[in-house]
């Protein structure tokens, strides 16, 4: 194997990188003995990204989804796990990591659907997430900061993860969210509602009937999210 890379190999390397392959993997596929050589040409082409998760810090919906059904396992990893494949697939594609599928275990009542999971490693982004209130023990300690809690996209992600949307009558929608007391209080404040936050074991829940203005703020037209939790599509 040689270090010299042809124009054809560079073109193939760019295509493979854009499809989510790492430079070291690309090098092996192209018969190049050093992954850094691939990195060099990717940088020269202006497409190499040192951080795989820069996009996450600018995506309020996925920040909410991570806050609900994601986790930080250590100083470098952030993961997302759902029974809905599409959001996890999008997270995996954006982060250039593999999508994992976990089949339900026989005899387990609480796990009757395939679980989809993606885990990305990026020290700098994880440290930034911590400054936004993300933590390892988010079940009892998650305290998202502004401007997250003042943005509808963030709450749409939280609801898609740990919420429920029900149509009570033709003109009545009820939205429920569970999480820390801090999260439930902030969601109630965002909706401008004075309903009571209730404790259930180690977590809290809040249920309310959002106004049309709040529905527009959380679920604007053509927004990304789970259709089964979108008031415009719930029947």
């Amino acid at each position: 194997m040689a270090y010299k890379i042809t124009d054809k190999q560079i073109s193939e390397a760019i295509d493979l990188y854009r499809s989510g392959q790492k430079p070291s993997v690309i090098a092996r596929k192209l018969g190049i003995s050093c992954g850094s050589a691939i990195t060099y040409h990717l940088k020269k082409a202006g497409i190499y990204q040192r951080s795989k998760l820069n996009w996450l810090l600018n995506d309020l919906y996925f920040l909410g989804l991570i806050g609900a059904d994601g986790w930080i396992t250590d100083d470098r990893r952030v993961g997302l796990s759902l029974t809905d494949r599409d959001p996890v697939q999008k997270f995996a594609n954006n982060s250039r990591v593999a999508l994992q599928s976990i089949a339900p275990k026989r005899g387990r009542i609480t796990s009757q659907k395939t679980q989809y999971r993606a885990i990305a490693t990026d020290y700098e982004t994880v440290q930034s997430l911590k400054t936004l209130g993300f933590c390892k023990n988010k079940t009892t300690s998650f305290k998202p900061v502004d401007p997250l809690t003042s943005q509808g996209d963030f709450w749409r992600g939280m609801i898609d993860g740990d919420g429920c949307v029900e149509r009570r009558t033709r003109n009545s929608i009820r939205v429920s969210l569970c999480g820390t007391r801090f999260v439930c209080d902030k969601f109630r404040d965002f909706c401008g509602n004075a309903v009571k936050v209730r404790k259930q074991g180690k977590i809290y829940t809040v249920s309310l009937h959002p106004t049309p203005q709040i529905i527009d703020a959380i679920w604007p037209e053509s927004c990304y999210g789970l259709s089964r939790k979108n008031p415009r599509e719930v029947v």
Side-chain angles (χ1 to χ4, degrees):
M1 291 188 285
Y3 284 93
K4 187 176 180 180
I5 302 178
T6 65
D7 290 341
K8 181 180 178 181
Q9 286 175 316
I10 293 173
S11 178
E12 291 176 355
I14 291 173
D15 289 340
L16 289 170
Y17 182 74
R18 284 175 171 162
S19 72
Q21 300 290 322
K22 297 179 180 179
S24 58
V25 175
I26 296 172
R28 288 197 297 270
K29 287 185 176 181
L30 299 182
I32 307 299
S33 59
C34 184
S36 61
I38 298 295
T39 300
Y40 168 79
H41 285 283
L42 292 174
K43 287 181 178 179
K44 192 174 180 180
I47 66 167
Y48 180 74
Q49 297 178 0
R50 184 183 178 195
S51 172
K52 298 182 294 185
L53 285 172
N54 280 340
W55 69 273
L56 179 59
L57 299 176
N58 298 311
D59 195 311
L60 290 165
Y61 171 79
F62 272 95
L63 287 174
L65 203 57
I66 294 293
D69 276 335
W71 67 90
I72 294 175
T73 57
D74 50 36
D75 288 340
R76 293 179 177 274
R77 292 187 176 186
V78 55
L80 178 64
S81 181
L82 290 163
T83 55
D84 297 277
R85 176 171 181 152
D86 191 71
V88 186
Q89 181 73 73
K90 188 172 183 179
F91 174 84
N93 290 346
N94 288 349
S95 306
R96 293 184 276 117
V97 297
L99 175 73
Q100 305 171 24
S101 60
I102 304 170
K105 294 182 179 180
R106 177 177 286 181
R108 286 190 60 184
I109 298 176
T110 58
S111 181
Q112 296 301 311
K113 294 183 179 180
T114 298
Q115 195 83 11
Y116 297 97
R117 182 174 67 184
I119 302 173
T121 302
D122 186 347
Y123 176 82
E124 293 178 1
T125 299
V126 170
Q127 298 311 303
S128 296
L129 288 175
K130 289 180 179 180
T131 68
L132 296 175
F134 291 81
C135 55
K136 291 177 67 174
N137 188 19
K138 67 180 181 62
T139 302
T140 58
S141 304
F142 184 38
K143 293 183 177 182
V145 301
D146 283 330
L148 298 184
T149 56
S150 62
Q151 302 297 318
D153 290 343
F154 173 78
W155 290 117
R156 187 172 70 256
M158 287 289 298
I159 292 166
D160 277 1
D162 279 339
C164 179
V165 177
E166 303 171 281
R167 182 170 294 280
R168 308 295 286 180
T169 65
R170 181 178 179 181
N171 297 314
S172 177
I173 290 288
R174 185 173 76 173
V175 177
S176 302
L177 180 66
C178 65
T180 61
R181 177 62 190 256
F182 184 90
V183 164
C184 291
D185 282 343
K186 285 292 185 179
F187 179 62
R188 181 186 61 181
D189 294 345
F190 176 82
C191 294
N193 201 301
V195 297
K196 185 177 181 179
V197 174
R198 301 182 182 277
K199 187 175 183 180
Q200 293 185 344
K202 293 183 178 181
I203 63 172
Y204 293 82
T205 63
V206 60
S207 296
L208 49 82
H209 296 274
T211 65
Q213 291 78 13
I214 292 299
I215 290 177
D216 287 341
I218 298 177
W219 296 276
E221 294 288 347
S222 303
C223 66
Y224 179 79
L226 300 180
S227 59
R228 62 185 176 86
K229 294 189 180 183
N230 188 328
R232 303 180 191 281
E233 301 185 46
V234 171
V235 296

